[in-house]
Amino acid sequence: MTNIPDQSNGANKRITISVDAMGGDRGPAAVVAGIARAAHKNPQFEFLLFGPEPELRKLVRRRSRLGQKRKLMDCCKIRHVEEVVSMEDKPSQVLRNGKGTSMWAAVDAVRGGEADAVVSCGNTGALMLVSMIRLKKLPGVDRPAIACLWPSRSPGGFNVLLDVGADIRADARNLLQYALMGASYARNGLELSRPRIGLMNVGTEENKGHTEIREAHDLITSAAEDANFEFVGFVEGRDIPSGRVDVIVTDGFTGNIALKTGEGTALLIREFLREAFRATPLSRIAALLAVTSLRRLSKRIDPRRVNGGVFLGLNGTVVKSHGSADAVGVASAIGLACRLAKSRFNERLAARVASFNPGGQDERGGTAEAAGKERER
Amino acid sequence: MTNIPDQSNGANKRITISVDAMGGDRGPAAVVAGIARAAHKNPQFEFLLFGPEPELRKLVRRRSRLGQKRKLMDCCKIRHVEEVVSMEDKPSQVLRNGKGTSMWAAVDAVRGGEADAVVSCGNTGALMLVSMIRLKKLPGVDRPAIACLWPSRSPGGFNVLLDVGADIRADARNLLQYALMGASYARNGLELSRPRIGLMNVGTEENKGHTEIREAHDLITSAAEDANFEFVGFVEGRDIPSGRVDVIVTDGFTGNIALKTGEGTALLIREFLREAFRATPLSRIAALLAVTSLRRLSKRIDPRRVNGGVFLGLNGTVVKSHGSADAVGVASAIGLACRLAKSRFNERLAARVASFNPGGQDERGGTAEAAGKERER
């Protein structure tokens, strides 16, 4: 994916990404290794790292000695936090006792304006709850959503799918908001001036599906012109990686299962492919000859490269990395956070949603004036 | 997939498959070509072909001249029917005016006992409705389901996913019935004595998901021992192609989207693979060297090879082939119908479900005595 040109007003201001170093399945070593990769590719960024200071300092020092041009220590500040949200913690527990955790502190850095975006590999439910409580929902948003990128035949190489698991239910109004937020994400994250939106269903005929989906179809149809997107109507599971749509809107239950089904299928085929090239001596030679092409293919279908679900609909950019992400995966998630922070995506999203919902319910949202200014994205 | 040993009592009775020749996207030529392939592999079967006689006769004659050992004309009877259910016909229209169509007549052949199973490439909604009306539901079944096979890491190479689109909603009781029917299908279609059943959800923790899914979890847990399957609990989208489960149970909305997402992903990767091997002269040579392994891989991930959704829960075996199926796809669907007819799968399924629901609501179902006899499958 190409980088987005810097469109911020204060172009000289350093952009800071806050990172929850703990809570991923592979521990802080994978996170620090991921930051090192991301820092190398994004020299204009700074990182705020939250977790137990002694452990993190050691990991950052070790990375700094690895001979990279830019020393990780120079762009990475560590903030000591003792506690960690584990994968087993229930969101309600985190709500009560989460204040001293690295996740909470990393999100608070965005709330306080110290950081422009936050990345965490931790427990999704807990991260969503902490983000909702600390950052609050944008005016006009009933339910935030998680959006992910999906390798596709579209010109940019990716489509957007949302919601992939913020909430297991969505009514027609929620689905309309997902369409608005997804369009804004595609505009800023994929540089599409007029994204094509599709609504996921079990068929493309207008009489198919649940009542709420048919209602959402009508709502999104009416909103398309004002919101400057093209509504292609119902799409099916097989359209998610297709070139006929840029953003696929669905509820969090269906989206989550589609996402994981796609990942599972891609992993199975990668395995089959590996077996196929080990099957005979000739195929082993073939694998050597085609090594560059195969590596490129492997990259194209590697779920780690599109790691990073973005929470849409909050006062701040939150990127959720896969719990099992390794350095490559964490670096993708951080790279995504950098791109979004740089394009001031969240302000634009806020303005877009606000313009469809005059008079928000939230005290931290953008003003009508800001909405007017930002209408163009 | 291996063939199932012949376990029927009347081993010498010819098994007949009724085929709706019309309604597929590629017309009757693809269907007749598919029958020719299937007939070649399944010499003990007979076929009843429904559609416009002059057109079908020409197609069957042409196939008979193709030098195959077994002449298609010898094992294929044509039944003249004028009308066709199109992909655009609404199920309600078919209900009113469908009597003279090839779909209706092909299903009726099973109802009348002339055929042991029916295959159609037509409109899914219409086929389900015609099947429900003509064959009726099995005693104890509230909602029939469509089950499909999914390439997987399980020893047999396939997992079963249901429902993939018979009904967009399912409550806890329906999901339990899907588990029972899926277990029976895995036992007879995949020869697994004690299938492992998983319930699809957005996480594997017991507190996740909709209320009806959590209720279904409890119902299936209680039924597992009596029904002789292992319940592995909640599974996620990525488990569909995994080796930790044999049957994945879900509602028809989610299942349909998962199925099509998997197909879409597999097709995208096949395309990427083709591009990768055309990328450089070296990779083109590699493709030549690895041609056998690549062909095998391509077969393993070819959705056509697992073509054929089985309608479970009716008084008769109905196999729905993909609307766009070509000869290979149609032949797979017919092959599946042959295997299921041969193993007397539907009687066993009926007995299994009846044993969980004494006193069915349907006059055409199996008796308690039959249930007792068939309990073992």
PDB file of all heavy atoms in Angstrom, chain B residues 215-235:
ATOM      1  N   GLU B 215     -27.389 -20.818  24.273  1.00  0.00           N
ATOM      2  CA  GLU B 215     -28.399 -21.850  24.585  1.00  0.00           C
ATOM      3  C   GLU B 215     -28.126 -23.119  23.788  1.00  0.00           C
ATOM      4  O   GLU B 215     -28.219 -24.225  24.308  1.00  0.00           O
ATOM      5  CB  GLU B 215     -29.794 -21.345  24.210  1.00  0.00           C
ATOM      6  CG  GLU B 215     -30.488 -20.551  25.293  1.00  0.00           C
ATOM      7  CD  GLU B 215     -31.813 -19.976  24.778  1.00  0.00           C
ATOM      8  OE1 GLU B 215     -32.507 -20.663  23.974  1.00  0.00           O
ATOM      9  OE2 GLU B 215     -32.119 -18.848  25.155  1.00  0.00           O
ATOM     10  N   ALA B 216     -27.805 -22.927  22.506  1.00  0.00           N
ATOM     11  CA  ALA B 216     -27.531 -24.087  21.651  1.00  0.00           C
ATOM     12  C   ALA B 216     -26.332 -24.857  22.195  1.00  0.00           C
ATOM     13  O   ALA B 216     -26.303 -26.093  22.152  1.00  0.00           O
ATOM     14  CB  ALA B 216     -27.271 -23.633  20.217  1.00  0.00           C
ATOM     15  N   HIS B 217     -25.361 -24.133  22.723  1.00  0.00           N
ATOM     16  CA  HIS B 217     -24.177 -24.767  23.316  1.00  0.00           C
ATOM     17  C   HIS B 217     -24.610 -25.769  24.390  1.00  0.00           C
ATOM     18  O   HIS B 217     -24.144 -26.919  24.425  1.00  0.00           O
ATOM     19  CB  HIS B 217     -23.273 -23.676  23.904  1.00  0.00           C
ATOM     20  CG  HIS B 217     -21.953 -24.179  24.398  1.00  0.00           C
ATOM     21  ND1 HIS B 217     -21.808 -24.850  25.589  1.00  0.00           N
ATOM     22  CD2 HIS B 217     -20.705 -24.118  23.855  1.00  0.00           C
ATOM     23  CE1 HIS B 217     -20.538 -25.175  25.761  1.00  0.00           C
ATOM     24  NE2 HIS B 217     -19.844 -24.738  24.718  1.00  0.00           N
ATOM     25  N   ASP B 218     -25.549 -25.346  25.249  1.00  0.00           N
ATOM     26  CA  ASP B 218     -26.004 -26.221  26.326  1.00  0.00           C
ATOM     27  C   ASP B 218     -26.780 -27.415  25.774  1.00  0.00           C
ATOM     28  O   ASP B 218     -26.578 -28.556  26.205  1.00  0.00           O
ATOM     29  CB  ASP B 218     -26.884 -25.428  27.309  1.00  0.00           C
ATOM     30  CG  ASP B 218     -26.086 -24.326  27.988  1.00  0.00           C
ATOM     31  OD1 ASP B 218     -24.837 -24.368  27.951  1.00  0.00           O
ATOM     32  OD2 ASP B 218     -26.712 -23.397  28.545  1.00  0.00           O
ATOM     33  N   LEU B 219     -27.673 -27.144  24.806  1.00  0.00           N
ATOM     34  CA  LEU B 219     -28.476 -28.238  24.230  1.00  0.00           C
ATOM     35  C   LEU B 219     -27.584 -29.282  23.566  1.00  0.00           C
ATOM     36  O   LEU B 219     -27.777 -30.486  23.732  1.00  0.00           O
ATOM     37  CB  LEU B 219     -29.453 -27.678  23.176  1.00  0.00           C
ATOM     38  CG  LEU B 219     -30.655 -26.872  23.672  1.00  0.00           C
ATOM     39  CD1 LEU B 219     -31.489 -26.402  22.487  1.00  0.00           C
ATOM     40  CD2 LEU B 219     -31.509 -27.729  24.606  1.00  0.00           C
ATOM     41  N   ILE B 220     -26.601 -28.819  22.803  1.00  0.00           N
ATOM     42  CA  ILE B 220     -25.744 -29.768  22.074  1.00  0.00           C
ATOM     43  C   ILE B 220     -24.863 -30.540  23.053  1.00  0.00           C
ATOM     44  O   ILE B 220     -24.648 -31.743  22.893  1.00  0.00           O
ATOM     45  CB  ILE B 220     -24.904 -29.035  21.000  1.00  0.00           C
ATOM     46  CG1 ILE B 220     -25.834 -28.352  19.985  1.00  0.00           C
ATOM     47  CG2 ILE B 220     -23.977 -30.008  20.272  1.00  0.00           C
ATOM     48  CD1 ILE B 220     -25.126 -27.480  18.961  1.00  0.00           C
ATOM     49  N   THR B 221     -24.406 -29.853  24.108  1.00  0.00           N
ATOM     50  CA  THR B 221     -23.615 -30.536  25.135  1.00  0.00           C
ATOM     51  C   THR B 221     -24.401 -31.713  25.707  1.00  0.00           C
ATOM     52  O   THR B 221     -23.883 -32.822  25.844  1.00  0.00           O
ATOM     53  CB  THR B 221     -23.243 -29.553  26.271  1.00  0.00           C
ATOM     54  OG1 THR B 221     -22.572 -28.432  25.706  1.00  0.00           O
ATOM     55  CG2 THR B 221     -22.339 -30.205  27.306  1.00  0.00           C
ATOM     56  N   SER B 222     -25.692 -31.466  26.027  1.00  0.00           N
ATOM     57  CA  SER B 222     -26.507 -32.532  26.639  1.00  0.00           C
ATOM     58  C   SER B 222     -26.764 -33.671  25.661  1.00  0.00           C
ATOM     59  O   SER B 222     -26.928 -34.817  26.071  1.00  0.00           O
ATOM     60  CB  SER B 222     -27.873 -32.004  27.088  1.00  0.00           C
ATOM     61  OG  SER B 222     -27.778 -30.718  27.608  1.00  0.00           O
ATOM     62  N   ALA B 223     -26.846 -33.359  24.365  1.00  0.00           N
ATOM     63  CA  ALA B 223     -27.223 -34.391  23.385  1.00  0.00           C
ATOM     64  C   ALA B 223     -26.037 -35.252  22.947  1.00  0.00           C
ATOM     65  O   ALA B 223     -26.225 -36.347  22.413  1.00  0.00           O
ATOM     66  CB  ALA B 223     -27.840 -33.721  22.157  1.00  0.00           C
ATOM     67  N   ALA B 224     -24.820 -34.764  23.190  1.00  0.00           N
ATOM     68  CA  ALA B 224     -23.639 -35.378  22.563  1.00  0.00           C
ATOM     69  C   ALA B 224     -23.507 -36.874  22.845  1.00  0.00           C
ATOM     70  O   ALA B 224     -23.283 -37.662  21.930  1.00  0.00           O
ATOM     71  CB  ALA B 224     -22.376 -34.638  23.007  1.00  0.00           C
ATOM     72  N   GLU B 225     -23.691 -37.269  24.103  1.00  0.00           N
ATOM     73  CA  GLU B 225     -23.427 -38.665  24.428  1.00  0.00           C
ATOM     74  C   GLU B 225     -24.425 -39.588  23.743  1.00  0.00           C
ATOM     75  O   GLU B 225     -24.035 -40.536  23.061  1.00  0.00           O
ATOM     76  CB  GLU B 225     -23.442 -38.876  25.939  1.00  0.00           C
ATOM     77  CG  GLU B 225     -22.595 -40.095  26.316  1.00  0.00           C
ATOM     78  CD  GLU B 225     -22.727 -40.420  27.782  1.00  0.00           C
ATOM     79  OE1 GLU B 225     -22.473 -39.514  28.601  1.00  0.00           O
ATOM     80  OE2 GLU B 225     -23.093 -41.572  28.091  1.00  0.00           O
ATOM     81  N   ASP B 226     -25.712 -39.292  23.912  1.00  0.00           N
ATOM     82  CA  ASP B 226     -26.750 -40.119  23.293  1.00  0.00           C
ATOM     83  C   ASP B 226     -26.611 -40.160  21.778  1.00  0.00           C
ATOM     84  O   ASP B 226     -26.888 -41.172  21.150  1.00  0.00           O
ATOM     85  CB  ASP B 226     -28.142 -39.553  23.626  1.00  0.00           C
ATOM     86  CG  ASP B 226     -28.698 -40.190  24.896  1.00  0.00           C
ATOM     87  OD1 ASP B 226     -27.978 -41.031  25.473  1.00  0.00           O
ATOM     88  OD2 ASP B 226     -29.817 -39.824  25.300  1.00  0.00           O
ATOM     89  N   ALA B 227     -26.230 -39.047  21.190  1.00  0.00           N
ATOM     90  CA  ALA B 227     -26.172 -38.984  19.733  1.00  0.00           C
ATOM     91  C   ALA B 227     -24.830 -39.470  19.209  1.00  0.00           C
ATOM     92  O   ALA B 227     -24.583 -39.456  18.005  1.00  0.00           O
ATOM     93  CB  ALA B 227     -26.434 -37.566  19.262  1.00  0.00           C
ATOM     94  N   ASN B 228     -23.966 -39.891  20.119  1.00  0.00           N
ATOM     95  CA  ASN B 228     -22.674 -40.464  19.742  1.00  0.00           C
ATOM     96  C   ASN B 228     -21.816 -39.547  18.873  1.00  0.00           C
ATOM     97  O   ASN B 228     -21.276 -39.944  17.850  1.00  0.00           O
ATOM     98  CB  ASN B 228     -22.889 -41.813  19.045  1.00  0.00           C
ATOM     99  CG  ASN B 228     -21.584 -42.583  18.929  1.00  0.00           C
ATOM    100  OD1 ASN B 228     -20.678 -42.399  19.741  1.00  0.00           O
ATOM    101  ND2 ASN B 228     -21.476 -43.416  17.900  1.00  0.00           N
ATOM    102  N   PHE B 229     -21.726 -38.278  19.296  1.00  0.00           N
ATOM    103  CA  PHE B 229     -20.717 -37.410  18.689  1.00  0.00           C
ATOM    104  C   PHE B 229     -19.947 -36.706  19.796  1.00  0.00           C
ATOM    105  O   PHE B 229     -20.367 -36.718  20.961  1.00  0.00           O
ATOM    106  CB  PHE B 229     -21.330 -36.419  17.693  1.00  0.00           C
ATOM    107  CG  PHE B 229     -22.353 -35.450  18.253  1.00  0.00           C
ATOM    108  CD1 PHE B 229     -21.980 -34.398  19.091  1.00  0.00           C
ATOM    109  CD2 PHE B 229     -23.703 -35.575  17.912  1.00  0.00           C
ATOM    110  CE1 PHE B 229     -22.920 -33.507  19.584  1.00  0.00           C
ATOM    111  CE2 PHE B 229     -24.650 -34.677  18.412  1.00  0.00           C
ATOM    112  CZ  PHE B 229     -24.254 -33.650  19.252  1.00  0.00           C
ATOM    113  N   GLU B 230     -18.819 -36.130  19.429  1.00  0.00           N
ATOM    114  CA  GLU B 230     -18.037 -35.390  20.406  1.00  0.00           C
ATOM    115  C   GLU B 230     -18.307 -33.912  20.165  1.00  0.00           C
ATOM    116  O   GLU B 230     -18.185 -33.446  19.034  1.00  0.00           O
ATOM    117  CB  GLU B 230     -16.554 -35.692  20.190  1.00  0.00           C
ATOM    118  CG  GLU B 230     -15.651 -35.073  21.235  1.00  0.00           C
ATOM    119  CD  GLU B 230     -14.181 -35.217  20.849  1.00  0.00           C
ATOM    120  OE1 GLU B 230     -13.844 -36.197  20.145  1.00  0.00           O
ATOM    121  OE2 GLU B 230     -13.385 -34.349  21.234  1.00  0.00           O
ATOM    122  N   PHE B 231     -18.673 -33.195  21.214  1.00  0.00           N
ATOM    123  CA  PHE B 231     -18.920 -31.756  21.039  1.00  0.00           C
ATOM    124  C   PHE B 231     -17.674 -30.989  21.480  1.00  0.00           C
ATOM    125  O   PHE B 231     -17.308 -31.016  22.646  1.00  0.00           O
ATOM    126  CB  PHE B 231     -20.153 -31.330  21.844  1.00  0.00           C
ATOM    127  CG  PHE B 231     -20.513 -29.881  21.680  1.00  0.00           C
ATOM    128  CD1 PHE B 231     -20.521 -29.292  20.416  1.00  0.00           C
ATOM    129  CD2 PHE B 231     -20.839 -29.093  22.767  1.00  0.00           C
ATOM    130  CE1 PHE B 231     -20.853 -27.946  20.251  1.00  0.00           C
ATOM    131  CE2 PHE B 231     -21.173 -27.750  22.619  1.00  0.00           C
ATOM    132  CZ  PHE B 231     -21.173 -27.178  21.359  1.00  0.00           C
ATOM    133  N   VAL B 232     -17.025 -30.310  20.537  1.00  0.00           N
ATOM    134  CA  VAL B 232     -15.795 -29.590  20.897  1.00  0.00           C
ATOM    135  C   VAL B 232     -16.086 -28.159  21.346  1.00  0.00           C
ATOM    136  O   VAL B 232     -15.171 -27.413  21.664  1.00  0.00           O
ATOM    137  CB  VAL B 232     -14.764 -29.569  19.740  1.00  0.00           C
ATOM    138  CG1 VAL B 232     -14.388 -30.972  19.318  1.00  0.00           C
ATOM    139  CG2 VAL B 232     -15.281 -28.778  18.539  1.00  0.00           C
ATOM    140  N   GLY B 233     -17.377 -27.783  21.392  1.00  0.00           N
ATOM    141  CA  GLY B 233     -17.735 -26.435  21.862  1.00  0.00           C
ATOM    142  C   GLY B 233     -17.700 -25.416  20.744  1.00  0.00           C
ATOM    143  O   GLY B 233     -17.864 -25.759  19.576  1.00  0.00           O
ATOM    144  N   PHE B 234     -17.467 -24.168  21.125  1.00  0.00           N
ATOM    145  CA  PHE B 234     -17.443 -23.106  20.125  1.00  0.00           C
ATOM    146  C   PHE B 234     -16.188 -23.216  19.249  1.00  0.00           C
ATOM    147  O   PHE B 234     -15.111 -23.539  19.732  1.00  0.00           O
ATOM    148  CB  PHE B 234     -17.454 -21.731  20.797  1.00  0.00           C
ATOM    149  CG  PHE B 234     -18.761 -21.389  21.450  1.00  0.00           C
ATOM    150  CD1 PHE B 234     -18.802 -20.811  22.709  1.00  0.00           C
ATOM    151  CD2 PHE B 234     -19.964 -21.637  20.808  1.00  0.00           C
ATOM    152  CE1 PHE B 234     -20.009 -20.484  23.313  1.00  0.00           C
ATOM    153  CE2 PHE B 234     -21.186 -21.312  21.405  1.00  0.00           C
ATOM    154  CZ  PHE B 234     -21.200 -20.742  22.659  1.00  0.00           C
ATOM    155  N   VAL B 235     -16.361 -22.954  17.973  1.00  0.00           N
ATOM    156  CA  VAL B 235     -15.221 -22.849  17.058  1.00  0.00           C
ATOM    157  C   VAL B 235     -15.348 -21.518  16.321  1.00  0.00           C
ATOM    158  O   VAL B 235     -16.413 -20.902  16.302  1.00  0.00           O
ATOM    159  CB  VAL B 235     -15.169 -24.020  16.048  1.00  0.00           C
ATOM    160  CG1 VAL B 235     -14.953 -25.344  16.750  1.00  0.00           C
ATOM    161  CG2 VAL B 235     -16.434 -24.069  15.193  1.00  0.00           C
TER     162      VAL B 235
END
